[in-house]
mmCIF file with all atom_site columns, all heavy atoms in Angstrom:
data_model
loop_
_atom_site.group_PDB
_atom_site.id
_atom_site.type_symbol
_atom_site.label_atom_id
_atom_site.label_alt_id
_atom_site.label_comp_id
_atom_site.label_asym_id
_atom_site.label_entity_id
_atom_site.label_seq_id
_atom_site.pdbx_PDB_ins_code
_atom_site.Cartn_x
_atom_site.Cartn_y
_atom_site.Cartn_z
_atom_site.occupancy
_atom_site.B_iso_or_equiv
_atom_site.pdbx_formal_charge
_atom_site.auth_seq_id
_atom_site.auth_comp_id
_atom_site.auth_asym_id
_atom_site.auth_atom_id
_atom_site.pdbx_PDB_model_num
ATOM 1   N N   . ALA A 1 139 ? 67.886 -149.451 -110.599 1.00 0.00 ? 139 ALA A N   1
ATOM 2   C CA  . ALA A 1 139 ? 68.985 -150.327 -111.065 1.00 0.00 ? 139 ALA A CA  1
ATOM 3   C C   . ALA A 1 139 ? 70.257 -149.639 -111.112 1.00 0.00 ? 139 ALA A C   1
ATOM 4   O O   . ALA A 1 139 ? 71.370 -150.205 -110.713 1.00 0.00 ? 139 ALA A O   1
ATOM 5   C CB  . ALA A 1 139 ? 68.569 -150.859 -112.446 1.00 0.00 ? 139 ALA A CB  1
ATOM 6   N N   . LEU A 1 140 ? 70.306 -148.434 -111.560 1.00 0.00 ? 140 LEU A N   1
ATOM 7   C CA  . LEU A 1 140 ? 71.590 -147.677 -111.647 1.00 0.00 ? 140 LEU A CA  1
ATOM 8   C C   . LEU A 1 140 ? 72.100 -147.358 -110.224 1.00 0.00 ? 140 LEU A C   1
ATOM 9   O O   . LEU A 1 140 ? 73.293 -147.480 -110.014 1.00 0.00 ? 140 LEU A O   1
ATOM 10  C CB  . LEU A 1 140 ? 71.392 -146.349 -112.397 1.00 0.00 ? 140 LEU A CB  1
ATOM 11  C CG  . LEU A 1 140 ? 71.079 -146.470 -113.884 1.00 0.00 ? 140 LEU A CG  1
ATOM 12  C CD1 . LEU A 1 140 ? 70.734 -145.121 -114.550 1.00 0.00 ? 140 LEU A CD1 1
ATOM 13  C CD2 . LEU A 1 140 ? 72.289 -147.092 -114.649 1.00 0.00 ? 140 LEU A CD2 1
ATOM 14  N N   . ALA A 1 141 ? 71.200 -147.013 -109.312 1.00 0.00 ? 141 ALA A N   1
ATOM 15  C CA  . ALA A 1 141 ? 71.655 -146.662 -107.965 1.00 0.00 ? 141 ALA A CA  1
ATOM 16  C C   . ALA A 1 141 ? 72.317 -147.870 -107.332 1.00 0.00 ? 141 ALA A C   1
ATOM 17  O O   . ALA A 1 141 ? 73.333 -147.762 -106.688 1.00 0.00 ? 141 ALA A O   1
ATOM 18  C CB  . ALA A 1 141 ? 70.456 -146.197 -107.160 1.00 0.00 ? 141 ALA A CB  1
ATOM 19  N N   . PHE A 1 142 ? 71.701 -148.991 -107.413 1.00 0.00 ? 142 PHE A N   1
ATOM 20  C CA  . PHE A 1 142 ? 72.232 -150.186 -106.651 1.00 0.00 ? 142 PHE A CA  1
ATOM 21  C C   . PHE A 1 142 ? 73.442 -150.834 -107.456 1.00 0.00 ? 142 PHE A C   1
ATOM 22  O O   . PHE A 1 142 ? 74.277 -151.569 -106.844 1.00 0.00 ? 142 PHE A O   1
ATOM 23  C CB  . PHE A 1 142 ? 71.193 -151.197 -106.424 1.00 0.00 ? 142 PHE A CB  1
ATOM 24  C CG  . PHE A 1 142 ? 70.359 -150.848 -105.206 1.00 0.00 ? 142 PHE A CG  1
ATOM 25  C CD1 . PHE A 1 142 ? 69.172 -150.078 -105.293 1.00 0.00 ? 142 PHE A CD1 1
ATOM 26  C CD2 . PHE A 1 142 ? 70.804 -151.177 -103.952 1.00 0.00 ? 142 PHE A CD2 1
ATOM 27  C CE1 . PHE A 1 142 ? 68.458 -149.743 -104.214 1.00 0.00 ? 142 PHE A CE1 1
ATOM 28  C CE2 . PHE A 1 142 ? 70.126 -150.779 -102.876 1.00 0.00 ? 142 PHE A CE2 1
ATOM 29  C CZ  . PHE A 1 142 ? 68.950 -150.081 -103.008 1.00 0.00 ? 142 PHE A CZ  1
ATOM 30  N N   . THR A 1 143 ? 73.572 -150.465 -108.766 1.00 0.00 ? 143 THR A N   1
ATOM 31  C CA  . THR A 1 143 ? 74.825 -150.823 -109.387 1.00 0.00 ? 143 THR A CA  1
ATOM 32  C C   . THR A 1 143 ? 75.942 -149.986 -108.792 1.00 0.00 ? 143 THR A C   1
ATOM 33  O O   . THR A 1 143 ? 77.066 -150.478 -108.548 1.00 0.00 ? 143 THR A O   1
ATOM 34  C CB  . THR A 1 143 ? 74.688 -150.569 -110.946 1.00 0.00 ? 143 THR A CB  1
ATOM 35  O OG1 . THR A 1 143 ? 73.676 -151.467 -111.415 1.00 0.00 ? 143 THR A OG1 1
ATOM 36  C CG2 . THR A 1 143 ? 76.044 -151.011 -111.590 1.00 0.00 ? 143 THR A CG2 1
ATOM 37  N N   . GLY A 1 144 ? 75.652 -148.738 -108.553 1.00 0.00 ? 144 GLY A N   1
ATOM 38  C CA  . GLY A 1 144 ? 76.621 -147.852 -107.919 1.00 0.00 ? 144 GLY A CA  1
ATOM 39  C C   . GLY A 1 144 ? 76.977 -148.347 -106.495 1.00 0.00 ? 144 GLY A C   1
ATOM 40  O O   . GLY A 1 144 ? 78.166 -148.325 -106.128 1.00 0.00 ? 144 GLY A O   1
ATOM 41  N N   . VAL A 1 145 ? 75.968 -148.774 -105.752 1.00 0.00 ? 145 VAL A N   1
ATOM 42  C CA  . VAL A 1 145 ? 76.172 -149.262 -104.469 1.00 0.00 ? 145 VAL A CA  1
ATOM 43  C C   . VAL A 1 145 ? 77.074 -150.509 -104.510 1.00 0.00 ? 145 VAL A C   1
ATOM 44  O O   . VAL A 1 145 ? 77.926 -150.676 -103.693 1.00 0.00 ? 145 VAL A O   1
ATOM 45  C CB  . VAL A 1 145 ? 74.832 -149.605 -103.731 1.00 0.00 ? 145 VAL A CB  1
ATOM 46  C CG1 . VAL A 1 145 ? 75.017 -150.412 -102.497 1.00 0.00 ? 145 VAL A CG1 1
ATOM 47  C CG2 . VAL A 1 145 ? 74.083 -148.298 -103.492 1.00 0.00 ? 145 VAL A CG2 1
ATOM 48  N N   . SER A 1 146 ? 76.802 -151.317 -105.497 1.00 0.00 ? 146 SER A N   1
ATOM 49  C CA  . SER A 1 146 ? 77.691 -152.599 -105.681 1.00 0.00 ? 146 SER A CA  1
ATOM 50  C C   . SER A 1 146 ? 79.073 -152.233 -105.972 1.00 0.00 ? 146 SER A C   1
ATOM 51  O O   . SER A 1 146 ? 80.029 -152.893 -105.394 1.00 0.00 ? 146 SER A O   1
ATOM 52  C CB  . SER A 1 146 ? 77.091 -153.451 -106.845 1.00 0.00 ? 146 SER A CB  1
ATOM 53  O OG  . SER A 1 146 ? 75.719 -153.804 -106.565 1.00 0.00 ? 146 SER A OG  1
ATOM 54  N N   . LEU A 1 147 ? 79.353 -151.224 -106.766 1.00 0.00 ? 147 LEU A N   1
ATOM 55  C CA  . LEU A 1 147 ? 80.720 -150.812 -107.069 1.00 0.00 ? 147 LEU A CA  1
ATOM 56  C C   . LEU A 1 147 ? 81.432 -150.404 -105.784 1.00 0.00 ? 147 LEU A C   1
ATOM 57  O O   . LEU A 1 147 ? 82.563 -150.669 -105.571 1.00 0.00 ? 147 LEU A O   1
ATOM 58  C CB  . LEU A 1 147 ? 80.754 -149.757 -108.147 1.00 0.00 ? 147 LEU A CB  1
ATOM 59  C CG  . LEU A 1 147 ? 80.395 -150.242 -109.585 1.00 0.00 ? 147 LEU A CG  1
ATOM 60  C CD1 . LEU A 1 147 ? 80.188 -149.001 -110.520 1.00 0.00 ? 147 LEU A CD1 1
ATOM 61  C CD2 . LEU A 1 147 ? 81.457 -151.136 -110.115 1.00 0.00 ? 147 LEU A CD2 1
ATOM 62  N N   . LEU A 1 148 ? 80.734 -149.641 -104.977 1.00 0.00 ? 148 LEU A N   1
ATOM 63  C CA  . LEU A 1 148 ? 81.317 -149.119 -103.767 1.00 0.00 ? 148 LEU A CA  1
ATOM 64  C C   . LEU A 1 148 ? 81.553 -150.280 -102.780 1.00 0.00 ? 148 LEU A C   1
ATOM 65  O O   . LEU A 1 148 ? 82.518 -150.284 -102.088 1.00 0.00 ? 148 LEU A O   1
ATOM 66  C CB  . LEU A 1 148 ? 80.326 -148.121 -103.021 1.00 0.00 ? 148 LEU A CB  1
ATOM 67  C CG  . LEU A 1 148 ? 80.203 -146.757 -103.743 1.00 0.00 ? 148 LEU A CG  1
ATOM 68  C CD1 . LEU A 1 148 ? 79.146 -145.952 -102.937 1.00 0.00 ? 148 LEU A CD1 1
ATOM 69  C CD2 . LEU A 1 148 ? 81.511 -146.009 -103.699 1.00 0.00 ? 148 LEU A CD2 1
ATOM 70  N N   . ALA A 1 149 ? 80.668 -151.305 -102.803 1.00 0.00 ? 149 ALA A N   1
ATOM 71  C CA  . ALA A 1 149 ? 80.830 -152.480 -101.987 1.00 0.00 ? 149 ALA A CA  1
ATOM 72  C C   . ALA A 1 149 ? 82.130 -153.228 -102.410 1.00 0.00 ? 149 ALA A C   1
ATOM 73  O O   . ALA A 1 149 ? 82.889 -153.711 -101.637 1.00 0.00 ? 149 ALA A O   1
ATOM 74  C CB  . ALA A 1 149 ? 79.647 -153.368 -102.079 1.00 0.00 ? 149 ALA A CB  1
ATOM 75  N N   . LEU A 1 150 ? 82.322 -153.320 -103.775 1.00 0.00 ? 150 LEU A N   1
ATOM 76  C CA  . LEU A 1 150 ? 83.517 -154.029 -104.244 1.00 0.00 ? 150 LEU A CA  1
ATOM 77  C C   . LEU A 1 150 ? 84.736 -153.244 -103.793 1.00 0.00 ? 150 LEU A C   1
ATOM 78  O O   . LEU A 1 150 ? 85.774 -153.848 -103.477 1.00 0.00 ? 150 LEU A O   1
ATOM 79  C CB  . LEU A 1 150 ? 83.449 -154.155 -105.766 1.00 0.00 ? 150 LEU A CB  1
ATOM 80  C CG  . LEU A 1 150 ? 82.290 -155.016 -106.315 1.00 0.00 ? 150 LEU A CG  1
ATOM 81  C CD1 . LEU A 1 150 ? 82.376 -155.040 -107.859 1.00 0.00 ? 150 LEU A CD1 1
ATOM 82  C CD2 . LEU A 1 150 ? 82.426 -156.469 -105.853 1.00 0.00 ? 150 LEU A CD2 1
ATOM 83  N N   . LEU A 1 151 ? 84.690 -151.914 -103.897 1.00 0.00 ? 151 LEU A N   1
ATOM 84  C CA  . LEU A 1 151 ? 85.813 -151.148 -103.461 1.00 0.00 ? 151 LEU A CA  1
ATOM 85  C C   . LEU A 1 151 ? 86.097 -151.291 -101.937 1.00 0.00 ? 151 LEU A C   1
ATOM 86  O O   . LEU A 1 151 ? 87.232 -151.389 -101.455 1.00 0.00 ? 151 LEU A O   1
ATOM 87  C CB  . LEU A 1 151 ? 85.576 -149.707 -103.758 1.00 0.00 ? 151 LEU A CB  1
ATOM 88  C CG  . LEU A 1 151 ? 86.705 -148.703 -103.396 1.00 0.00 ? 151 LEU A CG  1
ATOM 89  C CD1 . LEU A 1 151 ? 87.946 -148.980 -104.146 1.00 0.00 ? 151 LEU A CD1 1
ATOM 90  C CD2 . LEU A 1 151 ? 86.229 -147.248 -103.734 1.00 0.00 ? 151 LEU A CD2 1
ATOM 91  N N   . GLU A 1 152 ? 84.986 -151.374 -101.172 1.00 0.00 ? 152 GLU A N   1
ATOM 92  C CA  . GLU A 1 152 ? 85.123 -151.588 -99.727  1.00 0.00 ? 152 GLU A CA  1
ATOM 93  C C   . GLU A 1 152 ? 85.819 -152.819 -99.427  1.00 0.00 ? 152 GLU A C   1
ATOM 94  O O   . GLU A 1 152 ? 86.675 -152.982 -98.593  1.00 0.00 ? 152 GLU A O   1
ATOM 95  C CB  . GLU A 1 152 ? 83.708 -151.495 -99.079  1.00 0.00 ? 152 GLU A CB  1
ATOM 96  C CG  . GLU A 1 152 ? 83.712 -151.724 -97.614  1.00 0.00 ? 152 GLU A CG  1
ATOM 97  C CD  . GLU A 1 152 ? 82.290 -151.651 -96.986  1.00 0.00 ? 152 GLU A CD  1
ATOM 98  O OE1 . GLU A 1 152 ? 81.372 -151.297 -97.762  1.00 0.00 ? 152 GLU A OE1 1
ATOM 99  O OE2 . GLU A 1 152 ? 82.181 -152.138 -95.890  1.00 0.00 ? 152 GLU A OE2 1
ATOM 100 N N   . PHE A 1 153 ? 85.444 -153.919 -100.126 1.00 0.00 ? 153 PHE A N   1
ATOM 101 C CA  . PHE A 1 153 ? 86.038 -155.220 -99.900  1.00 0.00 ? 153 PHE A CA  1
ATOM 102 C C   . PHE A 1 153 ? 87.511 -155.218 -100.297 1.00 0.00 ? 153 PHE A C   1
ATOM 103 O O   . PHE A 1 153 ? 88.356 -155.814 -99.579  1.00 0.00 ? 153 PHE A O   1
ATOM 104 C CB  . PHE A 1 153 ? 85.249 -156.310 -100.734 1.00 0.00 ? 153 PHE A CB  1
ATOM 105 C CG  . PHE A 1 153 ? 85.802 -157.695 -100.562 1.00 0.00 ? 153 PHE A CG  1
ATOM 106 C CD1 . PHE A 1 153 ? 85.524 -158.378 -99.456  1.00 0.00 ? 153 PHE A CD1 1
ATOM 107 C CD2 . PHE A 1 153 ? 86.578 -158.191 -101.584 1.00 0.00 ? 153 PHE A CD2 1
ATOM 108 C CE1 . PHE A 1 153 ? 86.098 -159.719 -99.291  1.00 0.00 ? 153 PHE A CE1 1
ATOM 109 C CE2 . PHE A 1 153 ? 87.164 -159.456 -101.446 1.00 0.00 ? 153 PHE A CE2 1
ATOM 110 C CZ  . PHE A 1 153 ? 86.873 -160.228 -100.291 1.00 0.00 ? 153 PHE A CZ  1
ATOM 111 N N   . VAL A 1 185 ? 81.127 -156.455 -96.121  1.00 0.00 ? 185 VAL A N   1
ATOM 112 C CA  . VAL A 1 185 ? 80.809 -155.182 -96.654  1.00 0.00 ? 185 VAL A CA  1
ATOM 113 C C   . VAL A 1 185 ? 79.397 -154.751 -96.248  1.00 0.00 ? 185 VAL A C   1
ATOM 114 O O   . VAL A 1 185 ? 78.490 -155.572 -96.180  1.00 0.00 ? 185 VAL A O   1
ATOM 115 C CB  . VAL A 1 185 ? 80.963 -155.138 -98.167  1.00 0.00 ? 185 VAL A CB  1
ATOM 116 C CG1 . VAL A 1 185 ? 82.374 -155.434 -98.662  1.00 0.00 ? 185 VAL A CG1 1
ATOM 117 C CG2 . VAL A 1 185 ? 79.929 -156.060 -98.876  1.00 0.00 ? 185 VAL A CG2 1
ATOM 118 N N   . LEU A 1 195 ? 72.460 -154.277 -96.228  1.00 0.00 ? 195 LEU A N   1
ATOM 119 C CA  . LEU A 1 195 ? 73.004 -154.018 -97.580  1.00 0.00 ? 195 LEU A CA  1
ATOM 120 C C   . LEU A 1 195 ? 72.673 -155.210 -98.530  1.00 0.00 ? 195 LEU A C   1
ATOM 121 O O   . LEU A 1 195 ? 72.181 -155.039 -99.598  1.00 0.00 ? 195 LEU A O   1
ATOM 122 C CB  . LEU A 1 195 ? 74.474 -153.775 -97.591  1.00 0.00 ? 195 LEU A CB  1
ATOM 123 C CG  . LEU A 1 195 ? 75.309 -153.742 -98.909  1.00 0.00 ? 195 LEU A CG  1
ATOM 124 C CD1 . LEU A 1 195 ? 74.643 -152.572 -99.768  1.00 0.00 ? 195 LEU A CD1 1
ATOM 125 C CD2 . LEU A 1 195 ? 76.688 -153.647 -98.807  1.00 0.00 ? 195 LEU A CD2 1
ATOM 126 N N   . LEU A 1 199 ? 70.279 -155.063 -101.793 1.00 0.00 ? 199 LEU A N   1
ATOM 127 C CA  . LEU A 1 199 ? 70.794 -155.468 -103.166 1.00 0.00 ? 199 LEU A CA  1
ATOM 128 C C   . LEU A 1 199 ? 69.918 -156.534 -103.746 1.00 0.00 ? 199 LEU A C   1
ATOM 129 O O   . LEU A 1 199 ? 69.583 -156.503 -104.985 1.00 0.00 ? 199 LEU A O   1
ATOM 130 C CB  . LEU A 1 199 ? 72.252 -155.931 -103.060 1.00 0.00 ? 199 LEU A CB  1
ATOM 131 C CG  . LEU A 1 199 ? 73.271 -154.824 -102.783 1.00 0.00 ? 199 LEU A CG  1
ATOM 132 C CD1 . LEU A 1 199 ? 74.582 -155.531 -102.473 1.00 0.00 ? 199 LEU A CD1 1
ATOM 133 C CD2 . LEU A 1 199 ? 73.436 -153.950 -104.035 1.00 0.00 ? 199 LEU A CD2 1
ATOM 134 N N   . ALA A 1 202 ? 66.951 -155.314 -105.505 1.00 0.00 ? 202 ALA A N   1
ATOM 135 C CA  . ALA A 1 202 ? 67.217 -154.611 -106.712 1.00 0.00 ? 202 ALA A CA  1
ATOM 136 C C   . ALA A 1 202 ? 67.299 -155.597 -107.910 1.00 0.00 ? 202 ALA A C   1
ATOM 137 O O   . ALA A 1 202 ? 67.208 -155.105 -109.091 1.00 0.00 ? 202 ALA A O   1
ATOM 138 C CB  . ALA A 1 202 ? 68.414 -153.782 -106.628 1.00 0.00 ? 202 ALA A CB  1
ATOM 139 N N   . VAL A 1 206 ? 66.829 -154.658 -111.853 1.00 0.00 ? 206 VAL A N   1
ATOM 140 C CA  . VAL A 1 206 ? 67.940 -154.610 -112.817 1.00 0.00 ? 206 VAL A CA  1
ATOM 141 C C   . VAL A 1 206 ? 67.576 -155.331 -114.161 1.00 0.00 ? 206 VAL A C   1
ATOM 142 O O   . VAL A 1 206 ? 67.824 -154.812 -115.237 1.00 0.00 ? 206 VAL A O   1
ATOM 143 C CB  . VAL A 1 206 ? 69.232 -155.195 -112.209 1.00 0.00 ? 206 VAL A CB  1
ATOM 144 C CG1 . VAL A 1 206 ? 70.333 -155.384 -113.219 1.00 0.00 ? 206 VAL A CG1 1
ATOM 145 C CG2 . VAL A 1 206 ? 69.751 -154.322 -111.089 1.00 0.00 ? 206 VAL A CG2 1
ATOM 146 N N   . MET A 1 219 ? 75.459 -155.321 -115.090 1.00 0.00 ? 219 MET A N   1
ATOM 147 C CA  . MET A 1 219 ? 74.943 -154.725 -113.841 1.00 0.00 ? 219 MET A CA  1
ATOM 148 C C   . MET A 1 219 ? 74.566 -155.860 -112.789 1.00 0.00 ? 219 MET A C   1
ATOM 149 O O   . MET A 1 219 ? 74.819 -155.744 -111.640 1.00 0.00 ? 219 MET A O   1
ATOM 150 C CB  . MET A 1 219 ? 73.795 -153.782 -114.064 1.00 0.00 ? 219 MET A CB  1
ATOM 151 C CG  . MET A 1 219 ? 74.127 -152.493 -114.859 1.00 0.00 ? 219 MET A CG  1
ATOM 152 S SD  . MET A 1 219 ? 72.783 -151.635 -115.509 1.00 0.00 ? 219 MET A SD  1
ATOM 153 C CE  . MET A 1 219 ? 71.990 -151.002 -114.008 1.00 0.00 ? 219 MET A CE  1
ATOM 154 N N   . LEU A 1 220 ? 73.898 -156.844 -113.373 1.00 0.00 ? 220 LEU A N   1
ATOM 155 C CA  . LEU A 1 220 ? 73.509 -157.907 -112.582 1.00 0.00 ? 220 LEU A CA  1
ATOM 156 C C   . LEU A 1 220 ? 74.696 -158.659 -111.895 1.00 0.00 ? 220 LEU A C   1
ATOM 157 O O   . LEU A 1 220 ? 74.610 -159.016 -110.720 1.00 0.00 ? 220 LEU A O   1
ATOM 158 C CB  . LEU A 1 220 ? 72.638 -159.003 -113.388 1.00 0.00 ? 220 LEU A CB  1
ATOM 159 C CG  . LEU A 1 220 ? 72.193 -160.213 -112.635 1.00 0.00 ? 220 LEU A CG  1
ATOM 160 C CD1 . LEU A 1 220 ? 71.095 -159.761 -111.544 1.00 0.00 ? 220 LEU A CD1 1
ATOM 161 C CD2 . LEU A 1 220 ? 71.500 -161.219 -113.590 1.00 0.00 ? 220 LEU A CD2 1
ATOM 162 N N   . VAL A 1 221 ? 75.743 -158.913 -112.669 1.00 0.00 ? 221 VAL A N   1
ATOM 163 C CA  . VAL A 1 221 ? 76.963 -159.610 -112.146 1.00 0.00 ? 221 VAL A CA  1
ATOM 164 C C   . VAL A 1 221 ? 77.461 -158.752 -110.931 1.00 0.00 ? 221 VAL A C   1
ATOM 165 O O   . VAL A 1 221 ? 77.921 -159.285 -109.969 1.00 0.00 ? 221 VAL A O   1
ATOM 166 C CB  . VAL A 1 221 ? 77.971 -159.744 -113.183 1.00 0.00 ? 221 VAL A CB  1
ATOM 167 C CG1 . VAL A 1 221 ? 79.300 -160.117 -112.620 1.00 0.00 ? 221 VAL A CG1 1
ATOM 168 C CG2 . VAL A 1 221 ? 77.518 -160.801 -114.284 1.00 0.00 ? 221 VAL A CG2 1
ATOM 169 N N   . LEU A 1 222 ? 77.535 -157.427 -111.126 1.00 0.00 ? 222 LEU A N   1
ATOM 170 C CA  . LEU A 1 222 ? 78.003 -156.564 -110.009 1.00 0.00 ? 222 LEU A CA  1
ATOM 171 C C   . LEU A 1 222 ? 77.150 -156.687 -108.784 1.00 0.00 ? 222 LEU A C   1
ATOM 172 O O   . LEU A 1 222 ? 77.679 -156.773 -107.664 1.00 0.00 ? 222 LEU A O   1
ATOM 173 C CB  . LEU A 1 222 ? 78.080 -155.120 -110.536 1.00 0.00 ? 222 LEU A CB  1
ATOM 174 C CG  . LEU A 1 222 ? 79.161 -154.800 -111.643 1.00 0.00 ? 222 LEU A CG  1
ATOM 175 C CD1 . LEU A 1 222 ? 78.958 -153.378 -112.125 1.00 0.00 ? 222 LEU A CD1 1
ATOM 176 C CD2 . LEU A 1 222 ? 80.542 -154.947 -111.078 1.00 0.00 ? 222 LEU A CD2 1
ATOM 177 N N   . VAL A 1 223 ? 75.850 -156.582 -108.988 1.00 0.00 ? 223 VAL A N   1
ATOM 178 C CA  . VAL A 1 223 ? 74.945 -156.705 -107.842 1.00 0.00 ? 223 VAL A CA  1
ATOM 179 C C   . VAL A 1 223 ? 75.032 -158.044 -107.138 1.00 0.00 ? 223 VAL A C   1
ATOM 180 O O   . VAL A 1 223 ? 75.120 -158.042 -105.888 1.00 0.00 ? 223 VAL A O   1
ATOM 181 C CB  . VAL A 1 223 ? 73.452 -156.413 -108.368 1.00 0.00 ? 223 VAL A CB  1
ATOM 182 C CG1 . VAL A 1 223 ? 72.507 -156.795 -107.203 1.00 0.00 ? 223 VAL A CG1 1
ATOM 183 C CG2 . VAL A 1 223 ? 73.303 -154.947 -108.765 1.00 0.00 ? 223 VAL A CG2 1
ATOM 184 N N   . LEU A 1 224 ? 75.075 -159.081 -107.902 1.00 0.00 ? 224 LEU A N   1
ATOM 185 C CA  . LEU A 1 224 ? 75.228 -160.463 -107.292 1.00 0.00 ? 224 LEU A CA  1
ATOM 186 C C   . LEU A 1 224 ? 76.514 -160.585 -106.573 1.00 0.00 ? 224 LEU A C   1
ATOM 187 O O   . LEU A 1 224 ? 76.568 -161.171 -105.495 1.00 0.00 ? 224 LEU A O   1
ATOM 188 C CB  . LEU A 1 224 ? 75.011 -161.586 -108.351 1.00 0.00 ? 224 LEU A CB  1
ATOM 189 C CG  . LEU A 1 224 ? 73.692 -161.641 -109.043 1.00 0.00 ? 224 LEU A CG  1
ATOM 190 C CD1 . LEU A 1 224 ? 73.711 -162.708 -110.059 1.00 0.00 ? 224 LEU A CD1 1
ATOM 191 C CD2 . LEU A 1 224 ? 72.592 -161.952 -107.995 1.00 0.00 ? 224 LEU A CD2 1
ATOM 192 N N   . THR A 1 225 ? 77.621 -160.111 -107.168 1.00 0.00 ? 225 THR A N   1
ATOM 193 C CA  . THR A 1 225 ? 78.897 -160.236 -106.513 1.00 0.00 ? 225 THR A CA  1
ATOM 194 C C   . THR A 1 225 ? 78.962 -159.446 -105.202 1.00 0.00 ? 225 THR A C   1
ATOM 195 O O   . THR A 1 225 ? 79.373 -159.930 -104.192 1.00 0.00 ? 225 THR A O   1
ATOM 196 C CB  . THR A 1 225 ? 79.976 -159.682 -107.456 1.00 0.00 ? 225 THR A CB  1
ATOM 197 O OG1 . THR A 1 225 ? 79.927 -160.439 -108.676 1.00 0.00 ? 225 THR A OG1 1
ATOM 198 C CG2 . THR A 1 225 ? 81.405 -159.800 -106.809 1.00 0.00 ? 225 THR A CG2 1
ATOM 199 N N   . ALA A 1 226 ? 78.412 -158.204 -105.202 1.00 0.00 ? 226 ALA A N   1
ATOM 200 C CA  . ALA A 1 226 ? 78.347 -157.389 -103.986 1.00 0.00 ? 226 ALA A CA  1
ATOM 201 C C   . ALA A 1 226 ? 77.528 -158.084 -102.921 1.00 0.00 ? 226 ALA A C   1
ATOM 202 O O   . ALA A 1 226 ? 77.888 -158.034 -101.751 1.00 0.00 ? 226 ALA A O   1
ATOM 203 C CB  . ALA A 1 226 ? 77.803 -156.021 -104.339 1.00 0.00 ? 226 ALA A CB  1
ATOM 204 N N   . THR A 1 227 ? 76.398 -158.711 -103.278 1.00 0.00 ? 227 THR A N   1
ATOM 205 C CA  . THR A 1 227 ? 75.598 -159.404 -102.426 1.00 0.00 ? 227 THR A CA  1
ATOM 206 C C   . THR A 1 227 ? 76.312 -160.584 -101.651 1.00 0.00 ? 227 THR A C   1
ATOM 207 O O   . THR A 1 227 ? 76.302 -160.714 -100.447 1.00 0.00 ? 227 THR A O   1
ATOM 208 C CB  . THR A 1 227 ? 74.371 -160.053 -103.083 1.00 0.00 ? 227 THR A CB  1
ATOM 209 O OG1 . THR A 1 227 ? 73.616 -158.999 -103.778 1.00 0.00 ? 227 THR A OG1 1
ATOM 210 C CG2 . THR A 1 227 ? 73.465 -160.721 -102.070 1.00 0.00 ? 227 THR A CG2 1
ATOM 211 N N   . LEU A 1 229 ? 79.569 -160.733 -101.180 1.00 0.00 ? 229 LEU A N   1
ATOM 212 C CA  . LEU A 1 229 ? 80.573 -160.135 -100.345 1.00 0.00 ? 229 LEU A CA  1
ATOM 213 C C   . LEU A 1 229 ? 80.026 -159.595 -98.952  1.00 0.00 ? 229 LEU A C   1
ATOM 214 O O   . LEU A 1 229 ? 80.827 -159.317 -98.106  1.00 0.00 ? 229 LEU A O   1
ATOM 215 C CB  . LEU A 1 229 ? 81.297 -158.984 -101.060 1.00 0.00 ? 229 LEU A CB  1
ATOM 216 C CG  . LEU A 1 229 ? 82.118 -159.473 -102.277 1.00 0.00 ? 229 LEU A CG  1
ATOM 217 C CD1 . LEU A 1 229 ? 82.777 -158.285 -102.952 1.00 0.00 ? 229 LEU A CD1 1
ATOM 218 C CD2 . LEU A 1 229 ? 83.154 -160.529 -101.943 1.00 0.00 ? 229 LEU A CD2 1
#
Side-chain angles (χ1 to χ4, degrees):
L140 292 174
F142 279 94
T143 300
V145 169
S146 300
L147 288 171
L148 289 176
L150 295 177
L151 182 62
E152 179 182 347
F153 179 77
V185 299
L195 172 60
L199 287 168
V206 170
M219 293 167 68
L220 179 67
V221 168
L222 292 172
V223 170
L224 293 178
T225 302
T227 304
L229 295 181

